[in-house]
Amino acid sequence: MIRGTTKIQKTCWIVFIVYLFAIFYFTIFAESMGRVPGDVISEPRYNLIPFAEIKRFIVYRRQLGMKAFMLNVVGNCIAFMPCGFLLPAVSRRCRRGVICVLIGFFVSFFIECTQLIFRVGSFDVDDLLLNTLGVLLGFVINRSVQYYRIKQRKKLYPREVNIRKVEK
């Protein structure tokens, strides 16, 4: 851990690390996500056309089922919201939205590349888009929570400032 961090930041670091392991596990190893131990796809699968899979899930949502639609489209977005929410809490650098979203994008990109290399799942540019959108939404929620927290603190503990005119 980094010296000078608060207990809340240390706790957020632990939660963030556990979150990263969970995301990695569910996208690479989880049997509930259609992964079978030792089952590797012979040919790598990938989609490099933006919005192709999202469109397919929207157009064929009745045939594919609402569960598949929610899991793919909504699930990819929601799965990365904690990343956008926790990153500003663990690092001051991530309090800028661009940095936070870029780090979230690269975490998603790493997972997608891992799926492609080890042939478990598929590399999908739409997943990158949805995951990055999730990071952005998580960041917006974090900033909103911080805004209202600070606003409440100012209400509870108002500071009186006395300005006296200094005579010469």
Side-chain angles (χ1 to χ4, degrees), residues 78-91:
I78 290 174
F80 273 76
M81 285 174 73
C83 186
F85 188 83
L86 290 170
L87 275 171
V90 299
S91 173

Side-chain angles (χ1 to χ4, degrees), residues 45 47 49-65 68-69 72-73 122 124 126-127:
R45 293 187 296 186
N47 167 36
I49 302 167
F51 304 107
E53 284 296 304
I54 295 171
K55 182 179 176 184
R56 184 176 72 89
F57 272 95
I58 291 172
V59 170
Y60 297 108
R61 68 184 173 277
R62 287 194 177 89
Q63 290 87 347
L64 296 170
F69 171 78
N72 192 312
V73 177
S122 63
D124 191 351
D126 290 345
D127 287 351

Side-chain angles (χ1 to χ4, degrees), residues 24 28 39-41 113-121:
F24 193 74
I28 305 298
D39 185 26
V40 178
I41 304 163
C113 287
T114 303
Q115 288 179 328
L116 181 66
I117 291 167
F118 293 106
R119 296 181 183 170
V120 288

Side-chain angles (χ1 to χ4, degrees), residues 13 18 34 36 44 52 72 79 84 92 97-98 100 102 119 121 126 133-134 140 143 153 155-156 164-166:
W13 265 111
V18 169
V36 179
N72 192 312
R92 288 181 189 264
V98 173
C100 182
L102 278 173
R119 296 181 183 170
D126 290 345
L133 177 63
V140 168
R143 294 287 82 186
R153 186 182 295 162
K155 277 184 183 177
L156 291 173
R164 289 187 287 165
K165 187 175 181 181
V166 179

Side-chain angles (χ1 to χ4, degrees), residues 101-160:
V101 171
L102 278 173
I103 290 173
F105 171 81
F106 284 117
V107 168
S108 176
F109 186 73
F110 174 76
I111 290 172
E112 292 295 321
C113 287
T114 303
Q115 288 179 328
L116 181 66
I117 291 167
F118 293 106
R119 296 181 183 170
V120 288
S122 63
F123 181 96
D124 191 351
V125 73
D126 290 345
D127 287 351
L128 283 172
L129 294 171
L130 292 168
N131 295 345
T132 304
L133 177 63
V135 173
L136 178 63
L137 292 173
F139 179 80
V140 168
I141 291 170
N142 177 290
R143 294 287 82 186
S144 299
V145 167
Q146 294 306 318
Y147 173 79
Y148 287 111
R149 198 188 87 190
I150 290 168
K151 194 174 180 179
Q152 286 298 324
R153 186 182 295 162
K154 286 181 180 179
K155 277 184 183 177
L156 291 173
Y157 306 107
R159 284 182 24 184
E160 288 185 26

